[in-house]
Amino acid sequence: MKLIQLYGDRGLKIVKGEGQYVWDINGKKYIDMHTGIGVAFLGHRNKIVVDYLRRQMDQIITLSNSFSTPIKDEMVSMVDKIKPDNMDNIILLNSGTEAVEAALKTARKITGRKKIIAFKNAFHGRTSGSLSVTWNKKYREPFEPLVSPVEFLNFNDINELSKIDEQTAAVIVEPIQGESGVIPAKQDFMRALREVTEKVGALLIVDEVQAGFGRTGKVWAYQHYGIVPDLLTAGKAIGGGFPVSALFLPDWIAGKLEEGDHGSTFGGNPLAMAAVTAACKVLYDDKVPEQAYHKGELFMKILKDKLADLKSVKEIRGKGLMIGIDSRFPPATTLKVAQDNGVLVLKAGVTVIRLLPPYVISQDDMEVAANAIREGLLKTESQRVTS
Ligand SMILES: *Cc1c(COP(=O)(O)O)cnc(C)c1O
């Protein structure tokens, strides 16, 4: 029996995770800035999350959504503290791509239109609907035709927005493109996008599966832009490490959804609800977004101090604790050198080293990481010179 390996193998066997660290089978400790692509943002085995999950496991693990539970009530009131503006409704699902599917279906139902607009370099997931709005041809083209008619526009290009018209059901956008290289949307672009979609009656979906839930220094990344979207998808970090995703909706949209419009066997199971409740509690009580903002500023300064002089470094960018180092070269060597030095980071796009640390990261960790990345970049540069 073999488990198919659809992800590149990092060559490590990990046996434990606690806070910002993981340990391999040989007892070697790593600072985790990979965090399962941002999932462990609240730290591995966050105590509150573990407590909530434990307690729930002792009560009931699985139950149809047709029944009520105390944890459902608690979840709803806890999510209320961190909900996106005007979005008093939530649907729980299991993965980011499912939240995107639910958003696209909702937009089509509400508007009665079919066309979806997405952006070049966008990543929204790998099931057919989400894949249809994902830009990377390597992921998408072998499976075409996919579902909705989709048009891809240049990201951050206001001139393109005139292509959003009365046939458009929705525009889906990552406020900070994650997979393609940590590329923040520009202020005027997001504002213009909000204006145009409102004018033509298309829904604006912000996909915050990666950027949302405090990581960028605000609870939700769209809050950097002074706009309010129509639908918001969240995932990755929102269960404190437990697999769960969400679609947030305002009343005017939620009110038009009917029984049967969407569903999921596991969506909103009691364990997922316990995890989301705990994660929201941590986010709120520990002022996680503010901490991510301040630590992000500090980390950015440390990275610039230690790396900006390298000729391989083109740009260091990001918001809060979502940081990309554009290194001109494929980052494989840097990832390996950092890993050997006890620091896990990941790739984004073609040339970007992506850092998605947990909010519990310390200044020491940041300095160790910056030094390890520096060593990796220097090695990359020397390989480029000799090859
Ligand atoms: C990871 C990601 C997804 C897909 O989430 P899965 O849980 O892997 O299905 C969708 N959108 C964005 C922006 C992501 O980063």
Side-chain angles (χ1 to χ4, degrees):
M1 185 64 200
K2 217 165 65 181
L3 182 65
I4 296 185
Q5 186 71 35
L6 293 169
Y7 285 79
D9 190 348
R10 298 282 292 247
L12 285 185
K13 188 167 267 184
I14 300 294
V15 295
K16 183 181 155 69
E18 194 75 47
Q20 66 270 52
Y21 307 115
V22 298
W23 285 261
D24 72 12
I25 194 158
N26 302 312
K28 182 170 169 179
K29 178 177 163 185
Y30 299 82
I31 302 167
D32 188 6
M33 300 200 179
H34 182 303
T35 54
I37 318 185
V39 172
F41 175 55
L42 301 181
H44 288 280
R45 301 185 69 252
N46 181 291
K47 191 181 172 312
I48 310 282
V49 175
V50 172
D51 284 349
Y52 265 78
L53 281 171
R54 250 200 204 122
R55 198 177 331 148
Q56 190 57 47
M57 274 196 282
D58 286 338
Q59 291 168 4
I60 187 162
I61 291 178
T62 184
L63 187 73
S64 155
N65 277 305
S66 298
F67 301 96
S68 247
T69 46
I71 193 65
K72 191 183 279 185
D73 302 335
E74 193 178 348
M75 197 260 312
V76 166
S77 59
M78 199 60 80
V79 172
D80 195 62
K81 294 179 195 256
I82 61 103
K83 71 185 176 200
D85 300 70
N86 304 337
M87 296 198 196
D88 283 312
N89 305 273
I90 186 172
I91 299 174
L92 283 189
L93 298 150
N94 310 286
S95 60
T97 197
E98 281 177 84
V100 170
E101 295 287 345
L104 296 175
K105 277 176 69 180
T106 300
R108 288 186 54 169
K109 159 122 191 182
I110 296 300
T111 62
R113 305 172 183 175
K114 292 192 168 57
K115 186 169 108 179
I116 308 283
I117 300 259
F119 292 97
K120 291 181 185 171
N121 294 311
F123 181 88
H124 298 294
R126 303 190 193 245
T127 52
S128 294
S130 311
L131 189 58
S132 71
V133 288
T134 287
W135 169 248
N136 193 329
K137 292 186 172 61
K138 186 178 142 219
Y139 300 153
R140 177 170 44 82
E141 276 186 351
F143 305 104
E144 286 182 337
L146 289 157
V147 284
S148 302
V150 175
E151 194 175 345
F152 288 97
L153 308 183
N154 290 322
F155 186 57
N156 272 336
D157 184 351
I158 291 184
N159 296 325
E160 291 270 282
L161 301 181
S162 57
K163 294 178 184 157
I164 301 167
D165 58 17
E166 258 103 40
Q167 267 73 55
T168 311
V171 178
I172 182 163
V173 65
E174 292 164 89
I176 301 177
Q177 291 189 331
E179 293 304 307
S180 65
V182 190
I183 305 164
K186 294 196 173 123
Q187 284 289 334
D188 53 352
F189 175 75
M190 285 297 269
R191 289 187 190 194
L193 182 55
R194 177 65 282 189
E195 249 169 59
V196 174
T197 45
E198 208 155 87
K199 199 172 96 209
V200 302
L203 299 192
L204 178 59
I205 305 168
V206 289
D207 181 353
E208 302 225 9
V209 169
Q210 190 163 152
F213 210 66
R215 176 165 291 285
T216 67
K218 303 253 188 208
V219 180
W220 304 108
Y222 78 79
Q223 292 165 336
H224 290 285
Y225 298 94
I227 60 152
V228 178
D230 297 308
L231 292 168
L232 182 143
T233 56
K236 292 198 167 101
I238 69 163
F242 193 87
V244 51
S245 68
L247 174 65
F248 285 94
L249 321 87
D251 284 339
W252 76 269
I253 294 178
K256 293 180 182 158
L257 293 182
E258 299 159 290
E259 193 179 319
D261 279 345
H262 200 59
S264 161
T265 301
F266 291 133
N269 67 79
L271 283 181
M273 288 200 272
V276 168
T277 310
C280 292
K281 186 170 163 54
V282 174
L283 192 86
Y284 186 78
D285 289 350
D286 216 12
K287 298 190 168 57
V288 170
E290 284 100 301
Q291 292 203 50
Y293 172 78
H294 291 295
K295 290 186 181 184
E297 295 279 294
L298 176 63
F299 200 9
M300 191 63 93
K301 184 178 175 308
I302 290 170
L303 289 166
K304 285 188 171 159
D305 284 352
K306 297 213 194 247
L307 307 178
D309 64 309
L310 298 179
K311 56 181 182 297
S312 57
V313 172
K314 196 164 139 199
E315 189 183 21
I316 306 174
R317 59 176 177 250
K319 280 194 198 302
L321 290 174
M322 183 168 181
I323 297 176
I325 302 162
D326 195 344
S327 70
R328 297 182 198 276
F329 305 122
T333 299
T334 305
L335 263 55
K336 180 70 171 71
V337 171
Q339 181 169 312
D340 292 344
N341 281 285
V343 179
L344 302 181
V345 298
L346 71 158
K347 179 184 151 166
V350 181
T351 56
V352 176
I353 299 151
R354 181 172 26 161
L355 310 177
L356 297 174
Y359 87 100
V360 290
I361 196 92
S362 73
Q363 182 167 350
D364 269 0
D365 298 323
M366 296 176 198
E367 279 165 7
V368 170
N371 286 331
I373 292 164
R374 182 180 174 87
E375 202 176 314
L377 287 168
L378 285 171
K379 181 160 180 200
T380 308
E381 288 179 11
S382 71
Q383 286 172 337
R384 290 276 147 176
V385 172
T386 52
S387 63

